[in-house]
Amino acid sequence: MSLGLLKCVSCFIYYRVWYAKNNGIPVILFPKAKDEPKGLSPSDLVDTLRKFEVDFVLLAGYLKLIPVELIRAYERSIFNIHPSLLPAFGGKGYYGIKVHKAVIASGARFSGPTIHFVDEHYDTGRILAQRVVPVLANDTAEVLAARVLNEEHQLYVEVVEALCEDRVIWREDGVPLIQSRENPNEFH
Ligand SMILES: Nc1nc2c(c(=O)[nH]1)N[C@@H](CN(C=O)c1ccc(C(=O)N[C@@H](CCC(=O)O)C(=O)O)cc1)CN2
Ligand SMILES: NCC(=O)N[C@@H]1O[C@H](COP(=O)([O-])[O-])[C@@H](O)[C@H]1O
């Protein structure tokens, strides 16, 4: 089983690239843009992922739209983690601290991370897993973000374990479920 991680290009990217290269993890830059001549085109990215025998693509803080070429090549195999309970507070413009500011401004009493399959649009793919955290009356966006992020880090591990153990199944109405490791007759 091989996983590919797409990470947003941020000020921390250099540490992440350094860490990967110093731990035998291949690093490729995507997308191809005028200011990133070393980047890959969508079709080159697909070819490269195939070359590295990547089975699943995990997005984490990736802030660009994944092109349809990759969606088609990795059907039901690209995942994203979003820091709200989708379908609420998702879509274009909803990323990072903006999500938590919107949650607090709405008066919502609960929030939490969602892991979903990636389709052609932002945050509209099938929901696979969620966790719920309280939104407290005196929460700032930063405090809520930290509470949600703590759950994100645990939830993604659970989902990757389920993927590696072939415990993701599709209900007949098209809803994906995770089969319990302890009791195969239970799903969530
Ligand atoms: N095809 C898909 N691509 C991506 C998805 C997806 O579901 N389908 N998820 C996003 C991640 N995401 C929320 O989880 C998200 C990221 C970014 C945006 C957004 O509005 N981006 C801005 C540009 C921001 C920037 O470049 O600084 C924009 O498009 O105007 C919304 C949601 C990853 N890709
Ligand atoms: N809509 C996408 C989005 O908002 N993703 C969010 O960006 C953060 C990345 O944190 P990090 O850069 O510290 O890993 C995470 O909270 C993730 O849910």
Side-chain angles (χ1 to χ4, degrees):
M1 185 78 61
S2 175
L3 303 173
L5 173 65
L6 284 184
K7 183 70 205 156
C8 69
V9 178
S10 67
C11 59
F12 301 116
I13 189 68
Y14 302 106
Y15 170 73
R16 290 182 169 123
V17 169
W18 175 86
Y19 177 87
K21 288 183 173 176
N22 283 275
N23 287 273
I25 302 168
V27 177
I28 47 179
L29 294 179
F30 173 81
K32 189 169 206 168
K34 58 181 182 303
D35 60 345
E36 287 178 329
K38 295 180 183 176
L40 291 176
S41 67
S43 55
D44 288 345
L45 175 62
V46 172
D47 295 344
T48 304
L49 292 173
R50 296 286 193 221
K51 183 181 78 172
F52 284 106
E53 298 179 349
V54 170
D55 297 306
F56 299 110
V57 177
L58 309 179
L59 307 184
Y62 189 73
L63 301 183
K64 302 294 185 186
L65 194 67
I66 294 293
V68 68
E69 297 93 332
L70 186 54
I71 306 281
R72 294 281 181 267
Y74 276 85
E75 194 170 349
R76 289 186 169 182
S77 300
I78 307 176
F79 301 84
N80 177 57
I81 191 161
H82 179 80
S84 77
L85 295 174
L86 293 176
F89 307 106
K92 188 175 175 69
Y94 285 96
Y95 55 93
I97 202 70
K98 294 170 183 266
V99 174
H100 305 293
K101 286 180 177 175
V103 168
I104 290 172
S106 76
R109 292 324 195 254
F110 296 95
S111 190
T114 299
I115 293 176
H116 63 95
F117 288 85
V118 170
D119 64 14
E120 291 89 331
H121 311 289
Y122 281 139
D123 305 328
T124 56
R126 287 286 189 174
I127 292 171
L128 178 58
Q130 293 184 313
R131 280 199 178 185
V132 178
V133 299
V135 181
L136 305 179
N138 59 350
D139 271 346
T140 63
E142 292 72 17
V143 166
L144 177 58
R147 188 178 304 131
V148 172
L149 190 62
N150 182 58
E151 298 300 318
E152 291 182 55
H153 291 165
Q154 298 174 52
L155 190 60
Y156 232 157
V157 171
E158 282 180 19
V159 166
V160 171
E161 282 177 345
L163 287 171
C164 294
E165 295 167 5
D166 202 20
R167 289 188 285 109
V168 175
I169 61 102
W170 291 81
R171 206 165 64 189
E172 58 190 26
D173 61 354
V175 171
L177 300 171
I178 294 178
Q179 184 179 37
S180 163
R181 180 191 267 176
E182 294 72 29
N183 180 349
N185 296 318
E186 284 182 12
F187 300 83
H188 55 266

